[in-house]
Every structure is written in structure tokens, then in C-alpha cells.
């Protein structure tokens, strides 16, 4: 009986090891990597029509589905979400307009309310992996983003190519091109200056947000937005897979992290590296060198089981380190935080680092998980703090 038991255990272990080895082999292929990193085929909006935003809780005419053309000719599916009080003021006219997805949004009242208001603010929303613009906690996120100024803050969210109704295949380069196309639409079609645009990203979207923020900061002349908010960011893909567990329980490469040579070998197959630690440092250095005003807020919950909050602490260190010519060690910054950060008890901690040009803010919350946090007041406050500061100290376009 004991022999049968041990034989069963041995066979089961061999099957699991074989399965895991097969999984690792698949992860070295570009096709499988793409589906694991981006999860773009996981829609999470089953039995709902994205062209009918009312099915996601919006009022009729509050959200306009439309398309934006990328530089490669791809059509990116997007939503323009009106702030609630502005919607109330124009409800009758908005309700009277026909519904459905538009190729040209410029004839619609919602677009004109954005374009023609010199006080309008626009948040460009970069969502995380998997799903669409209407999935999960993203809809409550849009409400939280505009809640602080319900007559002025518009939200533009979109699906990267390969996601939802946006055709194509995702990659690091293509997602960056998509984000650049959305910024170009906002500045050139809607006519909103960068000083009235805020970039928001969550999870994968934080990497896209940093890429696009850095891209425009390095232009000549440089373009700097009112601010950038990153919720649940990650250092880079290699560091992420060393800790990431699908649904908080299924590891990818974390079991191999204790074997550096093997882990580094497998990491060399990663094609889309999404090195946010490098991009955040380059973004900060560019703004400091150009004397441009900038604001960057990082938010993370300690109970995030998808991306540990340590990622935000490392990214914050890279950002702060980029402001100091002689640099600062990670441990040195942590000691400084111990004396300088604000302890809010059950609400977490807040650390601010200010230079003559920039404000770097780190919010570590006790709770909020990976997605729930997006609809919480901490997001509304982060938006208001940045927009208020930008209004007091205008950012040159």
C-alpha cells in the first residue's frame, strides 16, 4: 500500500515537472509570450456591447464610442467619457443624439464640449493587461478620475491594438505607437494643450504611460503633461515574472528565481522588456535638464497579490535618484523616508520628493488590491492634487 502511494506521488510529481517544463518552453516563443504578457484575448466583457456604454452603467450620451487612427493605420477603439455635471447641464441635447460607434467624433456635442472649453482637462487612460475599456474595475475608475471636478475633467480611454475591437497584435513597440497616436489626437484634433492633459496608467498601462511620457519629454521642443499617475506599476517584465502569480496563486518564473543562472537564461528570451525603471529615470532626467515642471505620482496597495508593492518602492527610488547628481542608494532613500514620510495609519504612507522642477509622490496603501484601488478616493485626490498644482504653476506647452 505504501509503495502504491509513493508511486502515485512520484508519477504526479513527474507530470507536474513535465508540465512546468513544457510551459517554460512555450514561454520562450513570441506567440505564447504575447498572450501571457498582454492577455489580450481575455475580453471580460461577455454578453455586453461596447458600442452601448449604457450596458456598463453610463447614462445615455455620456460616453461616446469612436475610433482613433494610429500611425500604422490601425483603428483604435476608444471611449470619450463626459464628467457627470457637464453631462447634466447638456443632458437633453446629448440624449437626442444617435448612439453607436463613430469614425468621426468631431461633429458630436461631447467632443465640442471638450474642444471649446478653455478650462477643460483631459485624462488619457492607459489600462492594464486583459479585457477592454469596459472590463472589471475600469468603469468605476473613470468615475473616480473625474469626480473631483465634475464639470471639467473628461476621460479618454482606449483599447490597444489586439484588445477588444482594436485589430492587430500587441507588442511593446505597437502599444507605444498606439499611446502616441492617442496623445496626438488629443493635442491636434481635440486641441488640448499638454498642460491640460494628465496621463493615467494602471498595471501594464503604467509601463505604457511612462513610455509615452518619456517619448514626449525627449522631443524638441519637449512636451510635458500636467502630470502622470501610475497605479500598481512594475519595475520591468523580468522582475515582474520573478514575483508574479496568475490570480495570486499560479507562479510563472518565481520558483526559478532562487536559481540565478537558470532564471537569467530564461529571462534572456523575454522580448518585450518594458523597462519602466529606466524610462522613469530618463523621464525625470529630461525634465530636470530642460527645466520643465513635472509631477509624478505612484500608488500601490500592500495587499496587491498580482504586483507586489515593492515594485513601486524601487521605481520611486529610480525616479528620486535621477534628480540627484551624486545619486542616492535605495537603502539611503528608505532611511530618509523613515524620517520624512507621512504615516496615515490604516490609510498607509505618503512620501514626497520635491525639486525646483518636479514633485515625486509615493502613496503606499494598506488595502486596495490590484484593481479595486482604481475606483477609490485616493485616485480622485491624486488627480486633484496634480491639476491644482499645475494650475498654480502652469507647465509650458
Amino acid at each position: 500500500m505504501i509503495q502504491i502511494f509513493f508511486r502515485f506521488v512520484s508519477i504526479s510529481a513527474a507530470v507536474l515537472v513535465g508540465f512546468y517544463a513544457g510551459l517554460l518552453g512555450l514561454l520562450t516563443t513570441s506567440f505564447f509570450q504575447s498572450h501571457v504578457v498582454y492577455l489580450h484575448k481575455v475580453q471580460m466583457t461577455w454578453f455586453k456591447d461596447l458600442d452601448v456604454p449604457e450596458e456598463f452603467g453610463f447614462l445615455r450620451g455620456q460616453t461616446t464610442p469612436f475610433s482613433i487612427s494610429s500611425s500604422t493605420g490601425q483603428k483604435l477603439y476608444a471611449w470619450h467619457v463626459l464628467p457627470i455635471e457637464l453631462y447634466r447641464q447638456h443632458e437633453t441635447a446629448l440624449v437626442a443624439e444617435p448612439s453607436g460607434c463613430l469614425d468621426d467624433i468631431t461633429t458630436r456635442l461631447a467632443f465640442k464640449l471638450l474642444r471649446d472649453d478653455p478650462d477643460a482637462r483631459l485624462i488619457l487612460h492607459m489600462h492594464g493587461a486583459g479585457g477592454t475599456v469596459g472590463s472589471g474595475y475600469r468603469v468605476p475608475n473613470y468615475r473616480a478620475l473625474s469626480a473631483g471636478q465634475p464639470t471639467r475633467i473628461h476621460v479618454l480611454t482606449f483599447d490597444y491594438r489586439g484588445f477588444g475591437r482594436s485589430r492587430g497584435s500587441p507588442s511593446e513597440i505597437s502599444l507605444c505607437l498606439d499611446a502616441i497616436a492617442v496623445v496626438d489626437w488629443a493635442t491636434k484634433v481635440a486641441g488640448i494643450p499638454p498642460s491640460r492633459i494628465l496621463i493615467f496608467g494602471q498595471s501594464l498601462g503604467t509601463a505604457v504611460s511612462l513610455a509615452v511620457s518619456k517619448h514626449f519629454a525627449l522631443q524638441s521642443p519637449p512636451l510635458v503633461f500636467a502630470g502622470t499617475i501610475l497605479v500598481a506599476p512594475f519595475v520591468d517584465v523580468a522582475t515582474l515574472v520573478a514575483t508574479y502569480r496568475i490570480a495570486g496563486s499560479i507562479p510563472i518564473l518565481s520558483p526559478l528565481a532562487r536559481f540565478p543562472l537558470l532564471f537569467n537564461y530564461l529571462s534572456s528570451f523575454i522580448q518585450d522588456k518594458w523597462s519602466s525603471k529606466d524610462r522613469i529615470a530618463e523621464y525625470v532626467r529630461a525634465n530636470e535638464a530642460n527645466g520643465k515642471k513635472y509631477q509624478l505620482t505612484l500608488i500601490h496597495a500592500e495587499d496587491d497579490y498580482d504586483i507586489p508593492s515593492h515594485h513601486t518602492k524601487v521605481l520611486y527610488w529610480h525616479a528620486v535618484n535621477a534628480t540627484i547628481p551624486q545619486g542616492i542608494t535605495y537603502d539611503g532613500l528608505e532611511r530618509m523616508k523613515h524620517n520624512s514620510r507621512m504615516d496615515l495609519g490604516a490609510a498607509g504612507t505618503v512620501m514626497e520628493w520635491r525639486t525646483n522642477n518636479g514633485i515625486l509622490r509615493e502613496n503606499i496603501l494598506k488595502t486596495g488590491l490590484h484593481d479595486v484601488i482604481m475606483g477609490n478616493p485616493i485616485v480622485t485626490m491624486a488627480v486633484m492634487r496634480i491639476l491644482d498644482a499645475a494650475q498654480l504653476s502652469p507647465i509650458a506647452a
Side-chain angles (χ1 to χ4, degrees), residues 9-21:
V9 171
S10 299
I11 293 173
S12 298
V15 169
L16 288 174
V17 170
F19 175 78
Y20 187 61

Side-chain angles (χ1 to χ4, degrees), residues 21-180:
L23 176 63
L24 293 178
L26 288 173
L27 282 172
T28 63
T29 67
S30 59
F31 176 82
F32 198 73
Q33 266 189 48
S34 175
H35 283 270
V36 170
V37 171
Y38 300 110
L39 299 174
H40 51 290
K41 294 303 181 182
V42 182
Q43 297 293 310
M44 296 189 290
T45 45
W46 300 284
F47 311 115
K48 289 186 177 181
D49 186 350
L50 290 171
D51 287 345
V52 186
E54 293 82 1
E55 293 185 6
F56 298 85
F58 292 105
L59 299 167
R60 178 178 170 83
Q62 184 188 3
T63 297
T64 307
F66 71 107
S67 62
I68 296 173
S69 296
S70 74
S71 60
T72 57
Q74 300 287 345
K75 290 286 188 180
L76 305 175
Y77 186 84
W79 277 358
H80 170 210
V81 184
L82 282 173
I84 188 64
E85 173 57 20
L86 184 63
Y87 172 85
R88 187 196 66 79
Q89 294 172 7
H90 300 273
E91 181 180 12
T92 302
L94 289 165
V95 167
E97 290 188 324
S99 59
C101 184
L102 305 170
D103 283 329
D104 181 13
I105 193 178
T106 60
T107 61
R108 289 302 176 88
L109 175 58
F111 173 82
K112 295 174 183 177
L113 292 173
L114 169 64
R115 181 195 61 192
D116 299 339
D117 182 1
D119 293 324
R121 301 294 184 265
L122 178 61
I123 296 179
L124 301 183
H125 181 278
M126 318 282 176
H127 68 62
T132 69
V133 291
S135 298
Y137 289 93
R138 289 169 191 165
V139 171
N141 185 202
Y142 309 146
R143 298 191 184 106
L145 289 169
S146 65
Q149 293 183 352
T151 61
R152 297 168 59 186
I153 302 177
H154 301 242
V155 176
L156 173 59
T157 184
F158 68 101
D159 281 331
Y160 317 109
R161 68 185 70 190
F163 288 72
R165 297 194 178 181
S166 299
R167 296 185 179 276
S169 300
S171 67
E172 184 169 0
I173 293 174
S174 66
L175 265 62
C176 291
L177 290 174
D178 293 345
I180 291 169

Side-chain angles (χ1 to χ4, degrees), residues 123 140-150 153 198 200 229 231 299 373-388:
I123 296 179
N141 185 202
Y142 309 146
R143 298 191 184 106
L145 289 169
S146 65
Q149 293 183 352
I153 302 177
L198 188 152
F200 177 92
I229 297 175
V231 176
I299 303 173
I373 191 174
M374 293 193 294
N376 289 353
I378 185 68
V379 169
T380 305
M381 284 295 293
V383 170
M384 293 307 302
R385 191 175 287 110
I386 286 177
L387 293 182
D388 286 349

